[in-house]
């Protein structure tokens, strides 16, 4: 449709282009006598709207063409001038409500069962446009304008009509737009997001979209147990899709490049028949919090023209902004988050999201887009090969408005929360590392083999709020008795929550071998570095010294029974205070020094 016909109820069939002619046709379409007083007023208003829409598109084009060259003063002026236009347009709509309501009342209220119709929401929703927070749109269905607009909506060409909340919902769309802004920054215009009811639903939705029978998945060894189970126990089954799954133990680009070439050779017969390799990463990974070189691995995959997916839930866009890399070769093709964790932050809802390039996420029905892969290879994407039409539209794994609102509300503070959690994580890891019977797996420790990758990939070289410890013994000291360890673990409440999730305001701990990774075989757990006494600690916002004190006291009445000196091996109280104080100041200073200068903010 053209700018001229966009507002017409006959936008796809009209022969007119001029505003007044379109306005007259519109009035006649609804049975209005254009020579009557009402008809003349209606035509004049409609003509003004057609012209206003044309000017709105002009303003849009001028903005997109000129925005990059504007200084900050002009950007502020442009924004606020257009913001006020929004109020003016809404006021016109608000003024239209009173005569419209009066006509409605004259038709509908005479019905004997009028209450069953409910309130006609268009009368009272105008003010909600200016709600300071996104409105929770609790509805399954929507009001439609006219037949041709509905037809366009079902073809993905009229975003004003969201059709059905199983597909789209204004609150959920607000969240999707917001996560793209946060994740992609200056490149947000290149990406779209679709929200799902959980992180696992997002992972499965994306796998359902990408994977075909006998495709190959190259996955990092340390991933969430549910993701492992999904790949290993469902997609890998010959009775399902018979996907080949190869696990990679390394964390850097070289390890994955080698594994990619080995997989291409091993599955050459599948590839020759059109099967594809997909790379699936989790970084920082679960349960140890180790960091992968996502940028380098993405480059290695794209050099070979394979698709790469990264779950960066644990790192968040604040610490691990993988889509802000300037070089598209170093960006994953798709990014997954479980909103349930750090982004929502409170542990009160489950939700997930997939973020991808525009052309991979949505194209209007019947259309195709010719574009380039990250490595420059030309490719054409058809509408039915986008995530929306291939999965989202037909499977109904939508995120409802209430959950979307809860995530949006939580995201307002996630950066502050994540920063504090890095302080607590560093403090705990450093203190535990001084205990001779506690083995710490945390990339924040300089002696960790993962330390260089964490420094180069994570913002400010800071760790995610997730790491593991175990008590399996060390040189010259025996492992902690399993029964004593179990007693100790059962004594961690209330200082440390015995809960399954992570990314909440409170610190939680669990034994992956018994819980999140219990689906793995004994060998698979061993390969992933998960022992029977491995304790995964998902760090919260509380004073970390409180946990240490509680753990020391819990050890006195449990582990000390079999290992008499265990509780006395924690660092001295003064040293723990000093570690916390220095860590707090160091992280805050790093963060402040990384902030843009005042002169930059003025530009």
């Amino acid at each position: 449709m053209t700018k001229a016909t966009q507002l017409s109820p006959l936008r796809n069939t009209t022969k007119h282009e001029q505003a007044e002619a379109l306005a007259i046709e519109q009035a006649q379409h609804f049975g209005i006598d254009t020579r009557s007083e009402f008809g003349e007023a209606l035509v004049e208003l409609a003509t003004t709207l057609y012209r206003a829409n044309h000017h709105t598109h002009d303003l849009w084009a001028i903005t997109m063409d000129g925005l990059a060259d504007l200084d900050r003063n002009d950007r502020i002026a442009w924004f606020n001038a257009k913001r006020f236009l929004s109020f003016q347009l809404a006021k016109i709509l608000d003024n239209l409500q009173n005569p419209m309501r009066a006509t409605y009342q004259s038709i509908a209220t005479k019905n004997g069962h009028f209450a069953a119709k409910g309130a006609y929401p268009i009368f009272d929703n105008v003010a909600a446009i200016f709600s300071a927070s996104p409105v929770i749109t609790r509805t399954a269905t929507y009001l439609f304008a006219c037949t041709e607009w509905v037809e366009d909506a079902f073809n993905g060409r009229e975003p004003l009509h969201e059709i059905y909340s199983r597909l789209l919902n204004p609150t959920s769309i607000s969240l999707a737009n917001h996560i793209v802004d946060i994740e992609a920054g200056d490149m947000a215009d290149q990406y779209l997001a679709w929200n799902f009811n959980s992180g696992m639903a997002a992972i499965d939705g994306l796998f359902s979209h990408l994977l075909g029978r006998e495709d190959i998945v190259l996955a990092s060894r340390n991933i969430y147990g549910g993701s492992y189970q999904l790949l290993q126990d469902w997609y890998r089954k010959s009775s399902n899709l018979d996907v080949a799954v190869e696990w990679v133990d390394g964390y850097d680009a070289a390890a994955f490049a080698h594994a990619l070439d080995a997989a291409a050779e091993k599955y050459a017969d599948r590839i020759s028949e059109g099967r594809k390799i997909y790379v699936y990463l989790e970084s920082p990974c679960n349960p140890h919090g180790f960091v992968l070189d996502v940028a380098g691995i993405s480059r290695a995959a794209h050099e070979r023209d394979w698709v790469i997916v990264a779950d960066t839930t644990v790192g968040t866009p604040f610490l691990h902004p993988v889509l802000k890399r300037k070089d598209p070769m170093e960006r994953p093709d798709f990014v997954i988050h479980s909103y349930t964790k750090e982004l929502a932050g409170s542990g009160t809802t489950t939700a997930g999201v997939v973020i991808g390039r525009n052309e991979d996420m949505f194209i209007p029905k019947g259309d195709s887009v010719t574009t380039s892969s990250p490595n420059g290879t030309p490719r054409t994407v058809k509408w039915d090969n986008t995530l929306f039409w291939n999965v989202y539209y037909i499977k109904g794994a939508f995120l409802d408005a209430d959950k979307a609102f809860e995530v949006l509300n939580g995201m307002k503070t996630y950066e502050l929360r994540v920063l504090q959690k890095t302080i607590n994580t560093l403090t705990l890891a450093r203190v535990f590392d001084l205990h001779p019977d506690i083995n710490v797996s945390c990339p924040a420790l300089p002696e960790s083999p993962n330390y260089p990758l964490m420094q180069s990939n994570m913002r400010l070289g800071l760790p995610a709020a997730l790491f593991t410890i175990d008590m399996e013994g060390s040189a010259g000291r025996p492992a902690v008795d399993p029964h004593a360890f179990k007693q100790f673990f059962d004594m961690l409440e209330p200082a440390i929550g015995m809960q399954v999730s992570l990314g909440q305001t409170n610190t939680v701990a669990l034994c992956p071998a018994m819980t999140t990774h219990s689906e793995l075989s004994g060998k698979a757990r061993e390969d992933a570095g998960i022992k029977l006494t491995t304790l995964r600690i998902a760090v919260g916002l509380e004073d970390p010294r409180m946990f240490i004190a509680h753990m020391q006291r819990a050890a006195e009445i449990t582990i000390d029974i079999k290992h008499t000196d265990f509780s006395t091996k924690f660092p001295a109280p003064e040293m723990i205070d000093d570690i916390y104080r220095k860590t707090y100041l160091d992280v805050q200073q790093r963060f402040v020094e990384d902030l843009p200068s005042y002169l930059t903010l003025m530009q």
Side-chain angles (χ1 to χ4, degrees):
M1 77 194 77
T2 66
K3 289 184 288 186
T5 62
Q6 188 181 42
L7 299 188
S8 172
L10 302 173
R11 53 164 58 156
N12 297 322
T13 55
T14 183
K15 305 299 182 186
H16 297 290
E17 288 285 337
Q18 299 303 312
E20 187 174 3
L22 286 165
I24 292 171
E25 181 183 58
Q26 175 177 322
Q28 292 171 341
H29 177 71
F30 289 104
I32 304 300
D33 182 357
T34 58
R35 296 166 298 180
S36 66
E37 183 180 5
F38 179 86
E40 289 177 355
L42 182 69
V43 168
E44 187 170 350
L45 175 57
T47 300
T48 301
L49 293 176
Y50 281 108
R51 289 173 178 155
N53 187 54
H54 194 285
H55 294 312
T56 302
H57 279 275
D58 290 344
L59 203 58
W60 184 354
I62 292 167
T63 299
M64 299 310 293
D65 290 342
L67 195 59
D69 298 324
L70 289 182
D71 64 23
R72 188 172 183 84
N73 287 353
D74 283 335
R75 292 184 187 207
I76 292 172
W78 281 30
F79 172 79
N80 282 290
K82 285 179 285 193
R83 184 185 69 90
F84 186 69
L85 284 174
S86 300
F87 279 88
Q88 289 177 301
L89 292 170
K91 188 58 188 173
I92 291 172
L93 183 57
D94 184 51
N95 290 337
L96 187 61
Q97 303 312 302
N98 287 330
M100 187 173 166
R101 186 193 292 272
T103 309
Y104 171 83
Q105 290 167 340
S106 72
I107 299 170
T109 56
K110 310 253 188 285
N111 187 328
H113 296 92
F114 172 66
K117 292 181 66 63
Y120 200 67
I122 196 170
F123 297 136
D124 306 307
N125 279 358
V126 178
I129 295 172
F130 304 108
S131 169
S133 295
V135 175
I136 303 176
T137 313
R138 286 181 177 148
T139 185
T141 59
Y142 299 87
L143 301 174
F144 293 141
C146 59
T147 305
E148 293 195 11
W149 288 30
V150 174
E151 182 182 14
D152 281 345
F154 275 85
N155 286 307
R157 299 176 188 279
E158 182 41 73
L160 183 64
H161 283 342
E162 299 203 325
I163 303 176
Y164 194 40
S165 274
R166 176 170 61 79
L167 304 174
L168 302 174
N169 177 286
T171 319
S172 188
I173 291 298
S174 182
L175 172 59
N177 290 335
H178 191 45
I179 188 62
V180 168
D181 287 342
I182 287 174
E183 181 70 68
D186 292 343
M187 290 167 284
D189 62 326
Q190 300 175 30
Y191 291 92
L192 280 177
W194 297 121
N195 297 323
F196 292 79
N197 254 328
S198 68
M200 282 305 303
I203 295 169
D204 184 45
L206 184 56
F207 282 166
S208 297
H209 170 58
L210 295 175
L211 298 180
R213 185 163 185 80
E214 296 187 339
D215 278 339
I216 304 104
V217 173
L218 201 70
S220 49
R221 172 73 68 183
N222 292 113
I223 62 173
Y224 172 56
S227 305
Y228 176 93
Q229 189 176 23
L230 181 66
L231 282 170
Q232 191 78 359
D233 296 344
W234 200 94
Y235 283 96
R236 190 170 173 270
K237 270 187 181 178
S238 58
S239 57
N240 293 334
L241 289 182
D242 196 19
V243 168
V245 181
E246 297 288 324
W247 302 100
V248 183
D249 291 304
Y251 302 98
D252 60 16
F256 274 81
H258 176 75
L260 277 165
D261 292 338
E265 182 177 348
K266 181 176 180 179
Y267 299 102
D269 55 338
R270 293 194 182 195
I271 293 171
S272 68
E273 294 174 0
R275 300 298 91 214
K276 298 177 181 178
I277 293 178
Y278 295 91
V279 180
Y280 178 67
L281 312 178
E282 189 176 305
S283 177
C285 59
N286 194 338
H288 305 300
F290 291 152
V291 177
L292 279 69
D293 182 10
V294 176
I297 298 168
S298 295
R299 177 176 288 279
H302 290 143
E303 284 172 350
R304 293 156 176 80
D305 210 21
W306 301 125
V307 171
I308 180 166
V309 176
D311 182 338
T312 58
T313 294
V314 176
T316 77
F318 178 72
L319 288 180
H320 204 18
V322 295
L323 289 184
K324 290 181 181 175
R325 309 286 297 200
K326 295 300 182 185
D327 188 347
M329 289 284 284
E330 296 182 345
R331 291 181 235 148
D333 297 288
F334 297 94
V335 171
I336 293 170
H337 287 291
S338 171
Y339 286 132
T340 312
K341 312 303 191 299
E342 298 286 5
L343 291 173
S346 59
T348 57
T349 193
T350 58
V353 65
V354 175
I355 306 167
R357 287 187 296 270
N358 293 330
E359 63 272 14
D360 293 316
M361 301 297 279
F362 176 78
I363 298 172
K365 190 177 286 187
D367 288 0
S368 63
V369 171
T370 299
T371 183
S372 296
S373 299
N375 62 11
T377 304
R379 68 184 185 118
T380 299
V381 184
K382 294 178 61 180
W383 67 275
D384 54 356
N385 284 330
T386 62
L387 181 62
F388 180 83
W389 296 109
N390 193 33
V391 171
Y392 205 72
Y393 183 75
I394 56 178
K395 288 203 171 186
F398 69 102
L399 182 67
D400 67 81
D402 289 87
K403 285 187 173 185
F405 180 83
E406 193 161 353
V407 177
L408 278 164
N409 218 33
M411 284 172 67
K412 294 175 181 177
T413 58
Y414 98 91
E415 292 164 319
L416 298 174
R417 288 186 277 104
V418 169
L419 187 67
Q420 180 60 45
K421 287 183 180 186
T422 64
I423 296 169
N424 296 350
T425 301
L426 284 164
T427 300
L428 289 170
R430 288 166 177 172
V431 170
F432 291 152
D433 192 49
L434 294 173
H435 194 297
D437 289 336
I438 298 177
N439 303 312
V440 183
S441 293
C442 179
L445 299 175
E447 61 268 25
S448 168
N450 194 240
Y451 181 77
L453 282 178
M454 190 209 70
Q455 289 289 304
S456 61
N457 281 266
M458 299 290 280
R459 183 180 180 188
L460 305 178
L462 294 174
L466 186 73
F467 69 100
T468 62
I469 62 174
D470 71 66
M471 301 174 189
E472 293 291 318
S474 57
R477 296 185 69 86
V480 167
D481 176 77
H483 179 70
F485 172 79
K486 188 177 290 186
Q487 285 183 306
F488 166 76
F489 182 62
D490 286 343
M491 293 288 187
L492 293 182
E493 289 275 11
I496 300 177
M498 193 187 297
Q499 298 166 32
V500 171
S501 194
L502 54 92
Q504 302 174 179
T505 53
N506 60 308
T507 297
V508 300
L510 52 76
C511 290
M514 304 175 196
T515 55
T516 57
H517 291 69
S518 59
E519 301 91 350
L520 280 65
S521 67
K523 184 179 185 311
R525 285 199 298 273
E526 183 181 343
D527 291 341
I530 299 172
K531 303 175 177 65
L532 289 178
T533 63
T534 294
L535 194 66
R536 188 192 78 179
I537 302 175
V539 182
L541 296 174
E542 311 96 324
D543 186 335
R545 296 171 301 169
M546 180 186 68
F547 311 144
I548 300 166
H550 185 93
M551 290 178 74
Q552 187 169 4
R553 291 301 188 189
E556 288 176 1
I557 59 175
T558 56
I559 297 177
D560 279 5
I561 295 172
K562 294 287 182 73
H563 307 266
T564 54
D565 61 347
F566 184 92
S567 67
T568 65
K569 297 298 181 181
F570 283 92
E574 298 79 10
M575 181 180 289
I576 292 174
D577 287 339
D578 188 56
I579 289 171
Y580 182 46
R581 188 181 304 110
K582 288 180 178 177
T583 301
Y584 186 95
L585 294 173
D586 171 54
V587 171
Q588 292 290 357
Q589 184 172 353
R590 279 194 250 176
F591 176 65
V592 168
E593 291 178 353
D594 186 60
L595 293 173
S597 68
Y598 184 71
L599 285 176
T600 300
L601 295 175
M602 286 289 287
Q603 292 171 2

